[in-house]
Amino acid sequence: MGGGQEGGRRGGTENVPYIAGIGRAADMLFEQHGDKFGLEANAILMQKMRSRLLERITTGLEESTGKTDISRVNGPLNADQRLPNTLSIGLKGVQSGRLLADIGEVVACSAGSACHSSSGPTMSYSAILKAMKVPPEFAVGTLRLSVGPNTSLEDVDFAADVIVKEATRQLNT
């Protein structure tokens, strides 16, 4: 059976031909009309917001703990090879399920990968993070955060501040 995000259906049954078809349709739209819909500008804006979120969390944790090895980006080291709107960050010494329980009412984020988001506050982590070779000490503290075209600098700064505060509290207990 598939995970909760798959509605209980068997996992891995995506309609690949349709997915490829929508990709080709998007390519044709760009070939015919260019970027008159502003998609590239939105992607650049979201990438900047994602980078700011990462920087604020990383810097905040370094300042609050005095340690430089608390956070780790999960995914390609080259930021241009990551989704522009999504940040997957591992926090060493933090349990993401517990962190979500503490901040879930004020910051919209999830733990681990989408394929393992229902794991709760346990020490397990997803096969996706294992396949990505994320070290266990970072995987159990992984958060997934997304930004969108309407995300403001204030939203990013607020979310980062809340995450840093609660992660620091968890690290100090």
Side-chain angles (χ1 to χ4, degrees):
M1 297 302 283
Q5 80 278 9
E6 295 168 327
R9 295 183 306 245
R10 191 181 84 191
T13 56
E14 291 80 11
N15 189 334
V16 176
Y18 280 21
I19 293 169
I22 196 73
R24 179 62 184 127
D27 288 343
M28 291 171 63
L29 183 67
F30 272 92
E31 289 168 7
Q32 293 173 5
H33 300 287
D35 191 22
K36 75 177 187 181
F37 303 109
L39 298 176
E40 190 170 328
N42 276 337
I44 291 168
L45 173 65
M46 288 185 286
Q47 186 175 17
K48 287 180 181 179
M49 293 291 180
R50 182 203 65 206
S51 295
R52 182 181 178 106
L53 182 59
L54 173 62
E55 178 64 26
R56 290 286 301 240
I57 293 171
T58 302
T59 302
L61 286 171
E62 288 175 2
E63 290 174 356
S64 68
T65 66
K67 298 178 182 176
T68 59
D69 65 343
I70 298 290
S71 63
R72 173 192 191 279
V73 172
N74 302 321
L77 293 177
N78 181 343
D80 292 333
Q81 294 177 345
R82 291 184 233 136
L83 290 173
N85 69 317
T86 306
L87 172 62
S88 175
I89 184 170
L91 306 175
K92 185 166 72 172
V94 172
Q95 290 183 21
S96 58
R98 198 169 125 209
L99 185 63
L100 286 178
D102 294 337
I103 68 171
E105 296 295 318
V106 292
V107 175
C109 60
S110 58
S113 72
C115 297
H116 203 67
S117 61
S118 61
S119 64
T122 67
M123 292 301 287
S124 68
Y125 60 99
S126 78
I128 302 301
L129 293 174
K130 288 176 186 174
M132 292 170 61
K133 298 186 180 4
V134 175
E137 63 270 21
F138 288 98
V140 297
T142 290
L143 292 178
R144 276 185 310 114
L145 302 129
S146 299
V147 297
N150 296 320
T151 302
S152 69
L153 292 174
E154 292 80 15
D155 295 332
V156 167
D157 293 346
F158 175 80
D161 291 346
V162 168
I163 291 166
V164 167
K165 179 181 175 185
E166 291 301 322
T168 301
R169 187 181 62 76
Q170 197 178 117
L171 288 165
N172 291 330
T173 58

